[in-house]
């Protein structure tokens, strides 16, 4: 190890950003060189992406310039794409250079999980980045314009959303708010527009409180969303989706929200991974690597009942705090802290002014839950950027 160890953080998602911010507070100037690498020069707030994708919010509100979050005198930022991780030589291979590390933090985002369904990669859209949500928003508006040029093509007005997890439900909630406005702009009969939410599991929001799931489904149904539960998608085609039952839904817009896997770079690096996720130890390190910490979508930890913790933003943030502490402890030769995820609450939005959630033991819904969702968003903005970022990014 060099005299001043080099910490390299790859990925500026929730975990990577929080790790960077905490490290620049934890460490003195002469204790470590810290480098953050990300393919964009901004951090995007993943839990906000369903809104700009539907067109109900400005995409700018879901992104924050990295330069506004880090202290450039303490953290070096490199805008580049990681193409490989060489653990033997302790190097991160970028598209245009190579960076050596003494300690590595893998905070790369996940990738859409298609479960081998033919055609999903080729023909479905996914809510995964600022660029992708910009495309989805513009595509939806373009479908209305195309319909006005050929009113026999009602498939232009059919919107299929695969998956009824958090992203799927939050997206259809925003979409149900947005489409009536587009009908007005393009002078389209609202009765011709369909939003179809298809889910293979026996319930929407699997694992969520059944009473709240029922509330969400009833509310979204009243907004015009059609649910097809216990209905796997067999294939995605240029003309729509084919269900396991053989039924075909004609649509020129299929948005896939059915799952996230870890990052293929993690698998290719030789870590013990399943679907791109590494079962990290109690200190968030990759098995067999005392110098590699893995957080966020690429890590997995298990509950006492043997089930994995979900790869949520709140856990990634908690991992970022713990990872920074354990990095500092490693450098100083001090004892590392065991990390245990703490689920403080879960809230899913259902469109403007509506949400459902569980906070502690309490179930909340409607406007109360929507306010709680807003408070969660504000808290994160405050953590990474203080009051100025809260005022800049929050819709009051």
């Amino acid at each position: 190890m060099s005299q001043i160890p080099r910490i390299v953080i790859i990925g500026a998602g929730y975990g990577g950003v929080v790790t960077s911010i905490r490290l620049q507070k934890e460490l003195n100037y002469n204790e470590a060189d810290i480098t953050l690498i990300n393919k964009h020069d901004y951090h995007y707030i993943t839990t906000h992406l369903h809104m700009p994708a539907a067109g109900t919010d400005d995409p700018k509100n879901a992104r924050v310039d990295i330069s506004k979050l880090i202290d450039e005198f303490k953290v070096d930022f490199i805008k580049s794409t990681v193409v490989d991780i060489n653990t033997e030589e302790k190097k991160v291979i970028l598209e245009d250079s190579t960076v050596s590390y003494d300690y590595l933090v893998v905070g790369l985002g996940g990738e859409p999980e298609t479960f081998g369904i033919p055609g999903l990669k080729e023909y479905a859209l996914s809510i995964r980045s600022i660029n992708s949500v910009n495309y989805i928003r513009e595509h939806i508006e373009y479908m209305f314009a195309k319909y006005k040029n050929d009113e026999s093509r009602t498939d232009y007005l059919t919107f299929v959303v695969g998956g009824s997890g958090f992203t799927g439900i939050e997206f259809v909630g925003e979409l149900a708010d947005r489409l009536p406005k587009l009908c007005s702009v393009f002078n389209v009969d609202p009765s011709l527009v369909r939003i179809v939410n298809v889910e293979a599991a026996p319930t929407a929001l699997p694992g969520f409180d059944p009473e709240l799931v029922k509330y969400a489904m009833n509310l979204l149904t009243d907004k015009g969303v059609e649910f097809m539960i216990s209905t796997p998608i067999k294939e995605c085609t240029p003309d729509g989706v084919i269900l396991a039952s053989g039924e075909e839904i004609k649509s020129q817009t299929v948005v896939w929200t059915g799952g996230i896997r870890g990052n293929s770079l993690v698998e290719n690096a030789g870590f013990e991974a399943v679907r791109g996720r590494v079962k990290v130890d109690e200190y968030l390190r990759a098995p067999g690597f005392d110098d590699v910490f893995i957080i966020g979508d690429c890590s997995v930890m298990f509950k006492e009942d043997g089930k994995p913790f979900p790869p949520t933003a709140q856990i990634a943030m908690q991992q970022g705090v713990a990872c920074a502490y354990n990095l500092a402890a490693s450098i100083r030769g001090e004892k590392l802290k065991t990390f245990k995820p703490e689920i403080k609450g879960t809230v899913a939005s259902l469109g403007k002014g509506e949400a459902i959630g569980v906070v502690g033991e309490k179930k909340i819904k409607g406007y109360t839950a929507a306010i709680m969702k807003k408070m969660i968003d504000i808290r994160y903005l405050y953590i990474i950027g203080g009051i100025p970022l809260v005022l800049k990014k929050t819709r009051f």
Side-chain angles (χ1 to χ4, degrees):
M1 185 182 292
S2 60
Q3 185 174 0
I4 299 180
R6 187 173 196 181
I7 300 170
V8 174
I9 303 163
I10 53 176
Y14 289 95
V17 160
V18 172
T19 300
S20 301
I21 291 171
R22 295 288 294 206
L23 276 176
Q24 66 189 19
K25 295 178 181 178
E26 290 262 3
L27 296 176
N28 298 318
Y29 282 100
N30 61 348
E31 285 194 279
D33 289 329
I34 307 167
T35 300
L36 173 63
I37 302 170
N38 196 58
K39 65 180 178 179
H40 303 296
D41 58 4
Y42 56 84
H43 160 71
Y44 59 84
I45 304 171
T46 309
T47 55
H48 283 195
L49 292 181
H50 59 282
M51 295 185 289
T56 56
D57 194 17
D58 191 323
K60 293 179 181 178
N61 290 331
R63 57 174 283 177
V64 185
D65 291 343
I66 290 174
S67 62
K68 305 293 185 183
L69 302 177
I70 61 173
D71 182 343
E72 62 182 4
F73 294 105
K74 292 186 175 182
V75 179
D76 294 323
F77 173 65
I78 298 175
K79 179 184 176 183
S80 188
T81 299
V82 178
V83 297
D84 194 20
I85 301 169
N86 187 329
T87 56
E88 290 187 4
E89 298 183 13
K90 302 182 71 167
K91 293 180 179 179
V92 176
I93 314 303
L94 308 179
E95 59 184 356
D96 49 8
S97 62
T98 300
V99 178
S100 298
Y101 67 84
D102 293 303
Y103 292 98
L104 177 66
V105 178
V106 179
L108 298 169
E111 300 169 346
E113 175 60 90
T114 63
F115 302 104
I117 300 172
L120 276 182
K121 287 184 178 179
E122 294 80 5
Y123 306 118
L125 308 174
S126 62
I127 301 172
R128 55 185 172 81
S129 67
I130 295 293
N131 292 335
S132 70
V133 301
N134 280 333
Y135 182 82
I136 292 171
R137 185 187 72 257
E138 292 173 3
H139 171 84
I140 291 170
E141 294 179 4
Y142 182 49
M143 289 300 100
F144 276 81
K146 289 191 74 172
Y147 171 76
K148 293 302 293 184
N149 287 327
D150 183 358
E151 296 191 358
S152 68
R153 295 290 302 274
T154 54
D155 57 328
Y156 290 143
L157 301 180
T158 298
F159 303 91
V160 176
V161 179
S164 297
F166 268 74
T167 302
I169 288 295
E170 292 190 322
F171 177 61
V172 297
E174 297 295 326
L175 195 58
D177 287 344
R178 174 64 172 157
L179 294 188
K181 297 176 182 178
L182 289 177
C183 287
S184 177
V185 170
F186 287 93
N187 193 27
V188 168
D189 182 354
S191 67
L192 299 174
V193 177
R194 295 180 67 195
I195 304 174
V196 185
N197 188 210
V198 184
E199 170 59 54
T203 178
L205 294 169
F208 214 71
D209 181 86
E211 177 188 339
L212 296 177
V213 173
K214 182 178 180 181
Y215 176 88
M217 291 183 68
N218 287 340
L219 185 143
L220 293 173
T221 299
D222 289 343
K223 286 187 175 186
V225 178
E226 302 174 37
F227 285 99
M228 302 185 75
I229 306 298
S230 298
T231 308
I233 292 176
K234 179 181 178 182
E235 183 179 358
C236 183
T237 74
D239 300 316
V241 294
I242 299 173
L243 307 179
S245 63
E247 178 185 351
E248 182 178 12
I249 302 176
K250 296 282 189 179
S251 172
Q252 291 299 301
T253 307
V254 178
V255 179
W256 178 248
T257 69
I260 293 290
R261 70 189 306 280
N263 199 292
S264 55
L265 285 170
V266 171
E267 295 172 314
N268 297 338
F271 298 111
E272 299 175 21
V274 177
R275 293 175 56 201
R277 289 195 172 108
V278 176
K279 181 182 177 182
V280 295
D281 68 14
E282 67 270 32
Y283 307 118
L284 301 174
R285 299 178 301 191
F289 295 88
D290 290 345
D291 55 356
V292 179
F293 295 78
I294 301 181
I295 58 179
D297 289 338
C298 293
S299 69
V300 63
M301 301 188 77
F302 291 86
K303 305 174 187 177
E304 293 181 358
D305 61 6
K307 295 180 180 179
F309 283 96
T312 60
Q314 67 172 303
I315 289 182
M317 291 164 58
Q318 292 174 24
Q319 288 179 323
V321 173
C323 183
Y325 181 92
N326 284 337
L327 280 165
S330 297
I331 290 170
R332 295 165 180 164
E334 298 174 354
K335 186 177 180 181
L336 278 61
K337 278 187 179 180
T338 297
F339 173 71
K340 292 184 179 180
E342 181 182 353
I343 308 300
K344 298 180 179 180
T346 306
V347 184
S349 65
L350 306 173
K352 187 175 182 180
E354 283 283 354
I356 56 171
V358 176
V359 179
E361 299 292 328
K362 186 177 181 180
K363 293 182 283 190
I364 55 176
K365 58 188 177 183
Y367 186 69
T368 300
I371 291 297
M372 180 59 67
K373 174 76 171 176
K374 179 68 67 179
M375 295 303 295
I376 293 170
D377 293 341
I378 289 174
R379 179 177 178 271
Y380 177 66
L381 293 173
Y382 179 78
I383 287 172
I384 64 172
I387 292 176
L389 187 60
V390 170
L391 296 176
K392 184 177 181 181
K393 296 295 181 180
T394 303
R395 295 185 303 169
F396 292 100

